[in-house]
Amino acid sequence: MDRRTFMSGVTLGLLAAPLVVAAQPAGKVYHVGLLSIGSDPTWRIPWKPFIEAMSELGYVEGRNLLIRPAFADGNPERLPALVAELVSAKVDTIVTTGPRETVAAKRATALIPIVMTVVPDPVAQGFVASLSRPGGNVTGLTNFVPGLGQKYVELLREVLPSATRLAVVASSPNPLPETRQELEAAGRLVGITLSVARVSGPDDFDGALARAKKDGAAGIIATSDGVTWRHRKSLVPLALKHRLPAIYWAREYVDDGGLMTYSASVADLRRRAATYVDKILKGAKPADLPVEQPVTFELVINLKAAKALGLTIPPSLLQRADQVIE
């Protein structure tokens, strides 16, 4: 099946990974902090692409690289203390996951370089002055491009042609105003009203989905969000329970039983983060490193979920999918 690409308006060829690994200064050990709202015991599994990419660039744990994990185990209130520990340890750079982690890191230091990995709109959130010229101590990657919200609505509408209402499941402050406006504008084009089902943790999922269903939502959209990401194994079965077909912002939701995703690869974003860390450790300033936007998106459809929901996926949509899980 052909791979679908969704080109951003910014072409950033400056960040291509080097083909030759440069030798690192003898005896120098680089300290890299990983700041995340996720779980500490399992951090090496999702961050394997980053660790492997760092190794390919010449940074090997136990030799010239020390990774300091700072994971909040789902509690965002722990983030300020965790990043304070990284600052006190004088790490060479801090790699963050989503917006909350990046906010905490940016508030804690204006000197240590920060590399973000999964942030929907770093300009709107005040992390960088612009994508091409970040201007401060923050740079990295965004998983969002203009028009992505419209694709969510269009794809879910293909599965639900008679739908008149959809719900966006997100925690505060997501979805961002710009993302919500894009989703609502896309909905108006096809006669769909969108509402936001707010959640702050897994205990809210069942009630939020029940209310969305009662209010007439035919399906749900899960935009980039650390809460639903961390607790996706709770969200996905509840969406099936309430018979709410869903499109998710990352394929991991679909791997865990969700219906559909149109997304950039989180693993690839983390792999690309290693390129930023490498450039910074070699002397580049974050202010001068453009923020990279994804150019390739995967459409993945789970037919097991479709069967559980009593849905028939249009053949034209299946033909366009990069992967169909049967």
Side-chain angles (χ1 to χ4, degrees):
M1 294 184 182
D2 293 335
R3 195 172 185 81
R4 308 300 298 174
T5 58
F6 191 80
M7 300 301 295
S8 71
V10 179
T11 301
L12 300 172
L14 298 176
L15 300 173
L19 297 176
V20 179
V21 175
Q24 305 304 323
K28 172 68 174 178
V29 178
Y30 296 94
H31 292 221
V32 175
L34 294 184
L35 181 65
S36 174
I37 201 171
S39 298
D40 183 83
T42 60
W43 72 270
R44 284 187 175 274
I45 297 173
W47 284 94
K48 183 179 178 181
F50 174 79
I51 297 170
E52 290 180 344
M54 288 295 290
S55 179
E56 291 167 5
L57 290 165
Y59 304 90
V60 180
E61 285 189 278
R63 191 174 74 194
N64 63 349
L65 175 65
L66 174 63
I67 296 178
R68 293 179 173 269
F71 284 62
D73 198 27
N75 184 359
E77 294 181 358
R78 292 185 58 201
L79 290 172
L82 289 170
V83 72
E85 291 176 5
L86 295 177
V87 172
S88 296
K90 297 181 180 180
V91 295
D92 295 291
T93 186
I94 299 172
V95 180
T96 66
T97 47
R100 296 185 184 190
E101 296 91 323
T102 308
V103 166
K106 193 172 188 297
R107 286 176 177 171
T109 178
L111 298 176
I112 297 175
I114 299 167
V115 176
M116 56 191 174
T117 55
V118 187
V119 173
D121 194 336
V123 176
Q125 292 171 286
F127 300 143
V128 297
S130 71
L131 297 182
S132 60
R133 302 280 302 181
N137 67 321
V138 180
T139 187
L141 303 107
T142 172
N143 63 316
F144 189 84
V145 293
L148 185 56
Q150 181 175 340
K151 291 294 293 186
Y152 292 153
V153 174
E154 290 174 352
L155 290 168
L156 198 52
R157 180 60 186 273
E158 285 191 60
V159 175
L160 303 167
S162 61
T164 59
R165 189 177 186 87
L166 299 173
V168 181
V169 180
S171 65
S172 183
N174 295 322
L176 293 170
E178 292 78 6
T179 306
R180 182 171 179 175
Q181 290 169 10
E182 184 177 285
L183 289 166
E184 291 174 344
R188 286 193 294 270
L189 289 175
V190 292
I192 287 180
T193 301
L194 279 97
S195 60
V196 177
R198 291 286 180 198
V199 295
S200 58
D203 292 342
D204 298 335
F205 292 169
D206 197 19
L209 295 182
R211 287 189 295 274
K213 184 75 172 182
K214 183 178 179 180
D215 291 341
I220 60 173
I221 298 171
T223 58
S224 183
D225 189 286
V227 171
T228 64
W229 162 264
R230 171 170 163 72
H231 300 289
R232 60 189 181 276
K233 291 186 179 181
S234 296
L235 177 63
V236 165
L238 286 171
L240 297 178
K241 168 190 168 183
H242 292 285
R243 303 188 69 79
L244 285 167
I247 185 166
Y248 299 95
W249 69 273
R251 73 160 293 151
E252 284 78 3
Y253 292 80
V254 179
D255 291 337
D256 287 331
L259 177 64
M260 181 166 55
T261 183
Y262 183 75
S263 60
S265 167
V266 173
D268 186 60
L269 293 172
R270 288 173 175 167
R271 180 184 64 81
R272 295 293 303 140
T275 302
Y276 281 88
V277 172
D278 175 52
K279 288 179 179 292
I280 289 169
L281 295 181
K282 289 176 179 174
K285 296 182 182 301
D288 300 328
L289 294 177
V291 174
E292 184 176 332
Q293 293 178 296
V295 296
T296 302
F297 286 77
E298 288 184 316
L299 173 60
V300 182
I301 300 171
N302 188 334
L303 288 184
K304 294 179 181 179
K307 183 178 180 180
L309 291 163
L311 287 175
T312 299
I313 305 297
S316 60
L317 188 57
L318 291 174
Q319 290 172 1
R320 282 153 39 211
D322 297 282
Q323 182 181 357
V324 176
I325 300 173
E326 301 186 46

